[in-house]
């Protein structure tokens, strides 16, 4: 028995050793297979720099694959491994940035980067920061940006950078004035501290005159109308187009020097010499009534019972101002009116853009018309208000507060399924819910909103 047990233990040890040897061999084969299979996935990461990517404004434009035609604003051919001249993958707008010997000539609508070797790079862009497919966008002048070993001789040399952009597009609508042009212009030009030359296409003199203080604050030099100028301008650094991150706002993570919407609103208050940088706190000024500005609309999305709202607000302790802003308004005067207020309210629309003049910690009340427009309302004004360090309140009207109730029966899709209109395109949404609707606010419901705004001034 002892010999059998000894023989069994010896046999077990041999089998155990064989098993461990087998496991070791299988493991080695598996590891070598993993290395062979995984190497193509690992090597590219090992060769990448650990340095974080810089934003577009820091000359780190990502190359796109070459295509056959330059007509779509993409790269025709690029045999040089350096960065491309233009970045056109952004859905908001094309952006080109060049260093070296850059020549701009309006007769050919060309911006040429003169280089000692042939890159064969050609782009066609519209220098406006909202891409579109409608007539307003198609009217924007198309510019050719290219590299070449040959270019017209300079007739005027500049020692400062240049920014080329269009003032056409959707200008004239206050919201688009700011989200498409003024905010992107600040974002693109502020880093140069005034030492930058603006070159404008599609000149609208009345529009430039309206915002002349902004242009003068961002550039120390007289604006050049590229549509009429006959010089060949030469620069060492040129930006074509304007940076734009999102609707009426800035992403500090992408902006030069971490600029934010708080910086922009501070810039606007400084530009228009607005006095207030803080709201009226009720506890600090118990005898001073907080000011409420109601943005009045005339043609559509009007507040039908605005007089009742004024009366109710005054009963709560507000001093109420009713203002009507349009494209012809004196922006300096209106900015002063807005800055004097602690709360701004109005139905969703361009007039709410005036919140850029409010003092920090003021409150914006956005009234959202019927039609499942809450997402649009937040994108256009809700999130931007928070980025501006404002308090934000949103009031969505009920179907009983909409003038549409007198146009459609209660079982109509306008009330039963408004989302179905969104599925059929923006034009239908705009026609149905934006262009043909007014609001009559429920005084009891809206009283709570006005009270919440007062509470924010008590903190």
């Amino acid at each position: 028995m002892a010999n059998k047990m000894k023989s069994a233990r010896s046999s077990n040890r041999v089998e155990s050793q064989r098993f461990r040897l087998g496991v070791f061999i299988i493991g080695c084969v598996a590891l070598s297979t993993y290395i062979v299979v995984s190497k193509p996935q690992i090597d590219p990461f090992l060769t990448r720099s650990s340095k974080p990517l810089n934003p577009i404004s820091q000359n780190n434009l990502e190359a796109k694959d070459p295509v056959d035609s330059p007509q779509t604003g993409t790269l025709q051919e690029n045999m040089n491994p350096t960065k491309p001249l233009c970045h056109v993958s952004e859905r908001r707008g094309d952006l080109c940035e060049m260093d070296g010997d850059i020549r701009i000539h309006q007769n050919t609508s060309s911006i040429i980067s003169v280089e000692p070797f042939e890159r064969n790079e050609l782009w066609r862009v519209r220098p406006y920061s909202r891409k579109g497919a409608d007539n307003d966008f198609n009217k924007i002048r198309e510019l050719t940006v290219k590299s070449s070993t040959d270019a017209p001789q300079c007739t005027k040399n500049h020692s400062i950078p240049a920014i080329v952009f269009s003032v056409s597009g959707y200008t004239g609508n206050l919201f688009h004035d700011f989200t498409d042009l003024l905010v992107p212009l600040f974002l693109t030009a502020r880093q140069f501290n005034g030492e930058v030359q603006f070159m404008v296409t599609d000149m609208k003199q009345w529009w430039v005159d309206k915002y002349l203080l902004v242009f003068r604050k961002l550039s120390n030099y007289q604006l050049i109308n590229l549509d009429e100028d006959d010089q060949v301008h030469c620069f060492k650094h040129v930006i074509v187009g304007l940076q734009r991150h999102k609707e009426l706002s800035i992403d500090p993570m992408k902006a030069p020097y971490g600029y934010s919407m708080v910086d922009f609103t501070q810039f606007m208050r400084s530009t228009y010499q607005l006095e207030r940088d803080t709201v009226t706190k009720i506890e600090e000024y118990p005898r001073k009534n907080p000011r409420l500005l109601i943005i009045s609309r005339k043609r559509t999305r009007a507040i039908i019972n605005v007089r009742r709202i004024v009366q109710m607000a005054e009963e709560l302790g507000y001093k109420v101002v009713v203002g009507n802003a349009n494209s012809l308004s004196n922006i300096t005067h209106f900015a002063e009116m807005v800055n004097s207020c602690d709360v701004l309210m109005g139905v969703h629309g361009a007039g709410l853009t005036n919140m850029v003049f409010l003092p920090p910690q003021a409150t914006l009340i956005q009234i959202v018309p019927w039609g499942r427009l809450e997402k649009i309302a937040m994108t256009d004004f809700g999130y931007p208000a928070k980025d501006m360090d404002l308090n934000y309140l949103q009031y969505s009207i009920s179907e009983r507060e909409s003038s549409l109730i007198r146009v459609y029966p209660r079982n109509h899709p306008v009330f039963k399924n408004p989302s179905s209109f969104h599925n059929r395109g923006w034009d239908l949404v705009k026609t149905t819910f934006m262009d043909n609707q007014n609001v009559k606010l429920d005084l009891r419901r809206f009283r709570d909103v006005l009270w919440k705004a007062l509470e924010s001034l008590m903190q």
Side-chain angles (χ1 to χ4, degrees), residues 162-182:
I163 299 176
V164 183
F165 58 97
S166 171
V167 295
S168 186
Y170 309 97
T171 51
N173 174 292
L174 190 67
F175 176 74
H176 288 288
D177 287 352
F178 276 82
T179 195
D180 295 354
L181 275 165
L182 297 181

Side-chain angles (χ1 to χ4, degrees), residues 170-178 206-207 210-211 293-300 322-335 337-338 349-354 357:
Y170 309 97
T171 51
N173 174 292
L174 190 67
F175 176 74
H176 288 288
D177 287 352
F178 276 82
W206 68 267
W207 191 89
K210 180 177 181 177
Y211 296 107
L293 172 60
I294 300 177
I295 299 294
S296 175
R297 296 180 60 91
K298 299 295 184 182
R299 291 176 294 180
T300 179
V322 179
N324 178 28
N326 56 55
S327 61
L328 300 178
S329 298
N330 183 311
I331 192 168
T332 301
H333 172 73
F334 210 84
M337 181 192 299
V338 175
L352 297 183
T353 310
N354 286 288
F357 302 116

Side-chain angles (χ1 to χ4, degrees), residues 303-305 308-309 312 345 347 367 395 397 401 439-446:
I303 302 175
I304 298 173
N305 57 340
R308 298 289 303 276
I309 299 298
M312 180 176 67
M345 63 164 276
V347 181
I367 300 165
Y395 179 86
I397 72 169
E401 296 170 274
V439 302
K440 185 178 181 180
L441 297 176
D442 184 317
L443 297 182
R444 290 186 179 181
R445 285 186 66 212
F446 197 70

Side-chain angles (χ1 to χ4, degrees), residues 99-103 112-115 154 234-236:
D99 292 293
D101 182 359
I102 315 300
R103 305 184 188 185
I112 304 172
S113 175
V114 182
E115 300 181 7
C154 296
C234 295
F235 298 89
K236 296 298 182 185

Side-chain angles (χ1 to χ4, degrees), residues 109-347:
S109 297
S110 295
I111 301 168
I112 304 172
S113 175
V114 182
E115 300 181 7
F117 52 87
E118 191 68 49
R119 287 177 61 174
N120 294 325
E121 193 171 333
L122 186 150
W123 310 77
R124 292 195 176 100
V125 299
R126 288 183 168 91
Y128 184 77
S129 59
R130 181 182 293 272
K131 291 181 179 178
D134 57 16
N135 290 333
D136 288 327
F137 180 77
N138 291 329
K139 290 177 183 177
I140 297 170
R141 182 180 179 183
E142 187 179 69
L143 301 178
T144 299
V145 178
K146 62 182 179 179
S147 61
S148 177
T149 57
D150 187 29
Q153 292 297 314
C154 296
T155 59
K156 190 167 184 178
N157 287 286
H158 301 263
S159 60
I160 57 173
I163 299 176
V164 183
F165 58 97
S166 171
V167 295
S168 186
Y170 309 97
T171 51
N173 174 292
L174 190 67
F175 176 74
H176 288 288
D177 287 352
F178 276 82
T179 195
D180 295 354
L181 275 165
L182 297 181
V183 173
L185 185 60
F186 168 85
L187 179 60
T188 308
R190 187 60 170 170
Q191 60 186 312
F192 299 112
N193 197 29
E195 291 301 304
V196 62
Q197 176 68 63
F198 292 156
M199 305 188 76
V200 171
T201 69
D202 309 301
M203 171 64 83
K204 291 181 178 179
Q205 192 61 53
W206 68 267
W207 191 89
V208 171
D209 291 342
K210 180 177 181 177
Y211 296 107
L212 191 58
L213 289 178
V214 177
F215 285 102
R216 288 177 175 173
K217 191 79 171 179
L218 288 172
S219 174
N220 300 328
Y221 303 88
Q222 185 174 352
L223 181 147
I224 296 175
N225 182 356
L226 192 57
D227 298 331
E228 298 180 355
D229 188 86
D230 60 356
Q231 302 281 345
V232 177
H233 295 271
C234 295
F235 298 89
K236 296 298 182 185
H237 183 76
V238 173
I239 299 173
V240 182
L242 301 173
Q243 293 187 55
R244 177 167 170 255
H245 297 157
K246 47 187 177 178
E247 299 290 21
L248 199 58
S249 194
I250 294 172
D251 183 350
M253 298 297 293
K254 299 178 181 179
Y257 302 103
Y259 292 138
S260 67
M261 279 306 288
V262 171
D263 295 314
F264 176 77
T265 55
Q266 185 179 29
F267 166 80
M268 294 302 293
R269 293 194 300 273
S270 173
T271 298
Y272 289 96
Q273 299 181 348
L274 304 179
E275 297 180 355
R276 299 180 73 221
D277 282 321
T278 184
V279 294
T280 301
K281 293 294 184 180
I282 295 176
E283 294 181 355
E284 297 176 6
Y285 303 95
R287 297 183 179 180
K288 189 173 182 180
N289 292 51
R291 288 170 61 88
L292 166 66
L293 172 60
I294 300 177
I295 299 294
S296 175
R297 296 180 60 91
K298 299 295 184 182
R299 291 176 294 180
T300 179
R301 281 164 281 152
I303 302 175
I304 298 173
N305 57 340
V306 66
R307 292 183 180 180
R308 298 289 303 276
I309 299 298
V310 170
Q311 181 182 354
M312 180 176 67
E314 289 175 341
E315 292 172 356
L316 289 173
Y318 285 103
K319 184 175 181 179
V320 183
V321 181
V322 179
N324 178 28
N326 56 55
S327 61
L328 300 178
S329 298
N330 183 311
I331 192 168
T332 301
H333 172 73
F334 210 84
E336 292 171 352
M337 181 192 299
V338 175
N339 184 251
S340 71
C341 295
D342 306 287
V343 180
L344 184 151
M345 63 164 276
V347 181

